[in-house]
Amino acid sequence: KHLIKFTLQPALLPVYAFILIIGIVIPFYVSHSPTDISPGIRNKGSEQLSFLYRRDGKVYDGTVKDTFQAHDEIQIIYNSSKKQYMSLFSIDSKGNISFYFPENTSRWCSIKTEKGSDIHYPLGIVLDNTSGHELVIALFTRRRIKVKEAQRWISNLAKDKAVDLSELEKKLFTNPVKKKAKILTLLLNKR
């Protein structure tokens, strides 16, 4: 009896309203919010790529709309939804493939990732003086990938000497190097 009298006190109405908001309104809003990711908003827990770049000693947040120059330094930042392997490489409009991984003498082009957000890739990318575009490719896989395997995959998809990187980017997603590989790309414009 005393418990019922206590719970029906008018002074507790703000507490009940707060509980109602926390328990019903907020979960409804979150579950019905748009799933599209806007620039600058990171979806924590899923694989995402972003980057910073340094030019003339200054660091900038990078976007694919920026135009890059020779000697710009690109720092890839990624999210990883689980412990897995990540391979990072790029191909320029002349078909030259560059691999970015800590062990330059290794036959593997993958590094082990931890689950997390805003992780800086261990090595930066310094752009050369090849004009046109540079397609940066990040692969998230369950197992490590060999350099030769990745080179063969890209070379088979980019058979022409003058590579149309926007077309190649489409082919990557329809012809993955491994089943269940997560592929993320950044098509950078260089002058």
Side-chain angles (χ1 to χ4, degrees), residues 25 30 44-45 66 105 114 126-127 134 145 151 154 169 186:
V25 176
V30 170
K44 293 189 183 282
D66 294 329
T105 59
E114 295 296 320
V126 179
L127 298 176
E134 181 105 9
I145 294 179
Q151 279 178 320
I154 293 296
E169 188 174 23
L186 295 169

Side-chain angles (χ1 to χ4, degrees), residues 9-99:
Q9 289 181 9
L12 292 176
L13 288 178
V15 174
Y16 297 138
F18 179 75
I19 292 170
L20 182 67
I21 289 171
I22 296 296
I24 296 173
V25 176
I26 290 176
F28 179 83
Y29 176 76
V30 170
S31 67
H32 289 83
S33 61
T35 56
D36 293 339
I37 298 172
S38 303
I41 298 174
R42 295 210 174 89
N43 185 3
K44 293 189 183 282
S46 67
E47 285 72 21
Q48 296 291 320
L49 284 186
S50 60
F51 65 99
L52 302 171
Y53 70 97
R54 182 180 5 212
R55 178 182 299 155
D56 300 327
K58 293 183 182 175
V59 177
Y60 304 92
D61 285 325
T63 72
V64 292
K65 294 178 181 178
D66 294 329
T67 301
F68 298 94
Q69 304 170 4
H71 309 294
D72 282 349
E73 298 174 51
I74 309 289
Q75 174 65 61
I76 298 293
I77 302 168
Y78 66 94
N79 293 353
S80 183
S81 62
K82 57 190 170 199
K83 290 183 179 183
Q84 57 190 332
Y85 289 94
M86 178 186 177
S87 304
L88 185 68
F89 50 97
S90 68
I91 181 168
D92 64 25
S93 49
K94 290 186 177 178
N96 298 317
I97 303 170
S98 301
F99 287 88

Side-chain angles (χ1 to χ4, degrees), residues 89-97 133-137 150-160 162-176 183 185 187:
F89 50 97
S90 68
I91 181 168
D92 64 25
S93 49
K94 290 186 177 178
N96 298 317
I97 303 170
H133 289 90
E134 181 105 9
L135 181 61
V136 178
I137 303 161
Q151 279 178 320
R152 194 169 39 251
W153 175 54
I154 293 296
S155 297
N156 287 339
L157 296 176
K159 294 183 180 182
D160 301 326
V163 181
D164 181 345
L165 293 177
S166 58
E167 284 301 313
L168 174 63
E169 188 174 23
K170 293 175 191 171
K171 289 181 187 179
L172 296 175
F173 296 102
T174 56
N175 301 290
I183 303 168
T185 59
L187 186 58

